Amino acid sequence: MASRKKQDGAPPASTEDRVLTPAAVDEDERFDRLFRPESLDEFIGQDKHKQNLQVFVAAARKRTEPLDHILLCGPPGLGKTTLAYILAKEMGVNLALTSGPAVEHKGALTGVLTKLGRGDVLFIDEIHRLNATVEAALYPAIEDFRMDVMMGEGAYAESISIDLRPFTLVGATTRTGLLTKPLQERFGVTLRLDFYPVSDLERIVSRSARLFGVPCTDGGARALAQRSRGTPRVANRLLRRARDFAEVEGNGQIDDQIVRLTCDRLEIDEAGLDEMDRRLLSILIDHYEGGPVGVETLAAAMAEPRDTIEDVYEPYLLQQGFLGRTPRGRVATKKSYEHLGKPLVDRAPQGKLF
């Protein structure tokens, strides 16, 4: 089996209070059930992947077979869990949910798999955090629908093969690089979810506001979408905060003025950057002349773990062009200078040694 890197995909607890963190918190889980679409037709965004999934579902139902195993990749908050719910509903089967850290040993995996009915969907979130023993036991389950279980001890131990009902494994990961190659190759379909454009997020905010029973103008929906970092979970979280300000500081309606007030109080600017994002860019520009700066140095300067820099702050800054990666480290781009209103550093070319 391929060697494993450090399996630490969960953001530190210090980021959970951050409004713009894409990681789920308890409050999000309560509202997810309200906002979650029930079919692929209702699902907004990711059109290319959605159209392909509609074909795969229709073909599987026509053949009366389970769906092929599917791997969903991408940053948190983009709809991986929602798609698992939708796929199970579209196929008319049950959904079993678990996560990589929760399946601690082979016995726990066996217990989950033996409860599945024919065609059921097993969703494993953060699948890259499965330990090596459990992952090895998963291979025959997803290939041949069987589990090899050791019965007895010592000289009397024997291996018994348990037949499983054919099922569909839907794995989700935020860190594709931590998946071993043998596990990746066992998925028939791999989908990489991308950040959402403002137009799709605007439709998501409008839909969530209707389900929430709060009036929201087109301008308010667009203003929230522009500040949502391309992530539906962040958009819905900002919608709930805007509702609070609309009820206390306004007339109960979410418009662009209420959104501006909400984001000003939460220190979120028009590009969706919050205080920590601006602090990271300011450290690069003010302390290190725009870089390049190693990620360990940057983490120490921000008093944050390296994983937090790489998993929480960097993805959106890189995707929006505020930050660049080079072999020597991180660099601030021209866009970040302009956004922060700082003069661009004019680096003179290095002179010849001789």
Side-chain angles (χ1 to χ4, degrees):
M1 183 178 295
S3 61
R4 290 172 172 266
K5 302 176 185 177
K6 178 184 176 183
Q7 296 195 358
D8 185 9
S14 61
T15 65
E16 292 181 357
D17 296 330
R18 185 170 179 251
V19 176
L20 295 183
T21 182
V25 295
D26 291 341
E27 184 185 19
D28 294 321
E29 293 173 0
R30 288 194 296 111
F31 287 101
D32 276 350
R33 290 189 291 271
L34 173 64
F35 297 145
R36 182 172 287 134
E38 296 187 354
S39 68
L40 287 171
D41 289 333
E42 292 182 21
F43 188 89
I44 298 172
Q46 311 292 342
D47 291 339
K48 178 180 67 175
H49 298 322
K50 184 171 69 173
Q51 292 167 5
N52 289 339
L53 286 175
Q54 287 173 328
V55 172
F56 301 151
V57 168
R61 294 181 64 176
K62 186 175 182 180
R63 295 191 300 262
T64 64
E65 295 178 355
L67 274 172
D68 204 350
H69 304 303
I70 299 172
L71 178 64
L72 302 175
C73 312
L78 299 187
K80 296 186 289 294
T81 304
T82 296
L83 282 174
Y85 273 98
I86 289 175
L87 289 173
K89 193 170 185 63
E90 293 272 2
M91 291 296 297
V93 298
N94 296 319
L95 174 69
L97 293 97
T98 187
S99 65
V103 187
E104 298 178 345
H105 50 79
K106 186 176 177 180
L109 178 65
T110 304
V112 172
L113 294 176
T114 53
K115 294 178 182 177
L116 296 175
R118 177 179 175 79
D120 283 356
V121 174
L122 172 62
F123 177 68
I124 302 182
D125 198 12
E126 298 298 319
I127 194 171
H128 63 270
R129 300 179 69 189
L130 288 173
N131 66 55
T133 303
V134 172
E135 182 179 313
L138 186 61
Y139 294 161
I142 59 181
E143 283 189 317
D144 305 322
F145 302 114
R146 64 176 176 82
M147 285 287 293
D148 296 323
V149 180
M150 294 298 298
M151 302 294 292
E153 297 180 357
Y156 300 98
E158 60 177 331
S159 177
I160 298 178
S161 181
I162 300 177
D163 292 331
L164 303 172
R165 301 177 186 90
F167 67 95
T168 297
L169 172 64
V170 177
T173 178
T174 56
R175 304 187 69 177
T176 313
L178 294 184
L179 281 175
T180 60
K181 189 174 181 180
L183 181 58
Q184 290 187 53
E185 291 176 345
R186 283 171 168 82
F187 286 97
V189 178
T190 299
L191 303 179
R192 169 77 186 184
L193 304 188
D194 299 318
F195 288 108
Y196 288 59
V198 171
S199 57
D200 285 344
L201 287 173
E202 187 175 352
R203 293 167 58 200
I204 290 172
V205 169
S206 297
R207 176 183 179 275
S208 297
R210 288 195 302 270
L211 295 174
F212 224 7
V214 56
C216 181
T217 67
D218 292 341
R222 185 162 188 83
L224 283 172
Q226 290 171 337
R227 294 163 169 80
S228 296
R229 305 169 68 87
T231 306
R233 180 179 291 152
V234 173
N236 288 329
R237 189 180 298 156
L238 283 177
L239 174 66
R240 299 198 300 271
R241 300 289 74 80
R243 180 190 64 161
D244 296 337
F245 281 93
E247 292 177 351
V248 176
E249 303 285 348
N251 59 5
Q253 176 178 265
I254 298 176
D255 54 23
D256 53 350
Q257 293 182 346
I258 285 295
V259 173
R260 282 198 296 269
L261 172 63
T262 302
C263 293
D264 287 345
R265 298 281 284 273
L266 297 176
E267 298 183 318
I268 300 169
D269 61 31
E270 293 183 356
L273 307 189
D274 66 2
E275 180 185 6
M276 294 302 293
D277 296 315
R278 293 189 294 272
R279 182 184 170 199
L280 186 152
L281 296 176
S282 295
I283 288 174
L284 270 175
I285 294 172
D286 296 337
H287 296 185
Y288 301 101
E289 298 182 345
V293 180
V295 64
E296 295 288 355
T297 302
L298 196 57
M302 293 189 66
E304 293 278 4
R306 173 176 178 162
D307 287 345
T308 303
I309 302 295
E310 294 180 329
D311 298 338
V312 178
Y313 302 131
E314 282 191 348
Y316 183 72
L317 294 176
L318 288 166
Q319 193 259 351
Q320 293 296 313
F322 290 103
L323 190 68
R325 278 183 178 175
T326 72
R328 296 177 59 195
R330 277 59 174 171
V331 295
T333 64
K334 180 181 178 181
K335 186 176 181 179
S336 64
Y337 281 90
E338 294 173 348
H339 184 75
L340 297 179
K342 297 180 180 293
L344 186 63
V345 176
D346 184 16
R347 295 187 181 89
Q350 185 176 359
K352 297 181 178 180
L353 184 59
F354 301 103

